[in-house]
Amino acid sequence: MVSELVLFQLSSFFALVGMTLGWRGVMTKYAGFYDLPTAWNQVFWGILLGGFYAMSADNGLFVPYFQTASEGGVYAGLNVISLMLIPLIASVGSHLLLRRARVRRGGSQPTSGWALGLAIGGMVAMVTVYRTFEIYGITVGSLLSAGMFALVVPRADALITARHGHLMLQDKRWGAVLRSTFWRAALLVAVYFVVFEPLGWVFILPFVLLSTPAANGWIWDAVPKEGRRRLRRIWAEQARDGNSSTVGAGGPPRIHQGD
């Protein structure tokens, strides 16, 4: 029997890897052109809020579900009140963090939202991975499941919170909270379902894959106007350098489309 300490360390490792990978791509593409210190500050608050959120969801939703299933009882579904109340508290907490003066001053709600969501999703992934190891032990199947949770859940919550921040830029405050609450509740249902039915990934992965390209637009809106001009110049220079290299190598020139 693997000790709880080992399970916690493994779960933390997977969660940290998922958060690190979730930072790459979207946030690194615009590195140096948004308020990075504020984004990192949101990671700290996201760990605190995400820890509370993940434990509340685990105790209020997952544990009753698992106990009923393991005892062979008839499960009537997740408690609807808890299912909506817990994500609502997390979404309101996210909203308050994104309303802070240092975030609003630079219009960095989308980038801060991405960082905040990564941390919140990382905590949810950590608790879910822990439960997966606790139920199935450390096997090839559970390790693969842990890898999927670590890769998908932080990024999914980052998408939700970055979208929340983008809506705040458009003064859609209550709409942002309600949308985030709905998507977080749906994500919890899907994540807890795939703990027992891995086939459920087919419902989660399309959401993440189809939403990720839109996140580039949300982050772009958080970049100051001067930063956008500089980025366009950099990308244009990179495109010209790429064309020159191709022609110099004897290949046909390629046409690059600017963002």
Side-chain angles (χ1 to χ4, degrees), residues 148-222:
M148 289 295 295
F149 286 126
L151 288 173
V152 174
V153 178
R155 182 172 288 268
D157 211 300
L159 288 166
I160 293 170
T161 317
R163 177 59 171 165
H164 187 134
H166 188 257
L167 290 173
M168 291 177 69
L169 286 179
Q170 303 171 2
D171 292 327
K172 297 179 180 179
R173 299 174 183 176
W174 282 108
V177 172
L178 294 177
R179 284 182 175 90
S180 295
T181 299
F182 170 79
W183 285 113
R184 279 200 171 92
L187 181 62
L188 280 180
V189 172
V191 167
Y192 292 161
F193 177 74
V194 297
V195 171
F196 304 99
E197 294 291 342
L199 186 62
W201 285 116
V202 299
F203 300 103
I204 301 179
L205 290 177
F207 159 75
V208 176
L209 295 176
L210 294 175
S211 301
T212 296
N216 287 288
W218 307 335
I219 302 301
W220 177 255
D221 288 342

Side-chain angles (χ1 to χ4, degrees), residues 232-243:
R232 289 191 183 101
R233 287 198 297 268
I234 291 172
W235 290 338
E237 291 173 359
Q238 290 175 344
R240 287 195 297 269
D241 292 342
N243 285 335

Side-chain angles (χ1 to χ4, degrees), residues 33 228-246 254 256-259:
F33 295 92
R228 297 179 194 178
R229 287 193 289 268
R230 291 172 58 193
L231 268 173
R232 289 191 183 101
R233 287 198 297 268
I234 291 172
W235 290 338
E237 291 173 359
Q238 290 175 344
R240 287 195 297 269
D241 292 342
N243 285 335
S244 299
S245 299
T246 303
R254 292 176 297 176
H256 292 255
Q257 302 238 341
D259 289 59

Side-chain angles (χ1 to χ4, degrees), residues 6-22 118-119 121-133 137-155 201:
V6 174
L7 294 183
F8 174 77
Q9 290 175 332
L10 272 175
S11 304
S12 302
F13 169 77
F14 275 99
L16 289 172
V17 170
M19 291 168 61
T20 302
L21 294 176
L118 275 180
M123 295 300 99
V124 174
M126 184 180 72
V127 175
T128 308
V129 169
Y130 181 91
R131 290 300 186 189
T132 301
F133 287 147
I138 301 178
T139 64
V140 174
S142 63
L143 288 171
L144 290 175
S145 295
M148 289 295 295
F149 286 126
L151 288 173
V152 174
V153 178
R155 182 172 288 268
W201 285 116

Side-chain angles (χ1 to χ4, degrees), residues 52-64:
F52 171 78
Y53 171 55
M55 292 305 301
S56 298
D58 181 69
N59 292 327
L61 297 170
F62 182 82
V63 171

Side-chain angles (χ1 to χ4, degrees), residues 4 10 35 41 45 47 50 63 71 75 83 97 116 128 130 139 165 172 180 200 219 234 249:
E4 293 182 357
L10 272 175
D35 190 351
N41 180 265
W45 289 108
I47 291 173
V63 171
E71 292 171 2
Y75 183 63
L83 180 60
L97 288 171
L116 179 64
T128 308
Y130 181 91
T139 64
K172 297 179 180 179
S180 295
I219 302 301
I234 291 172

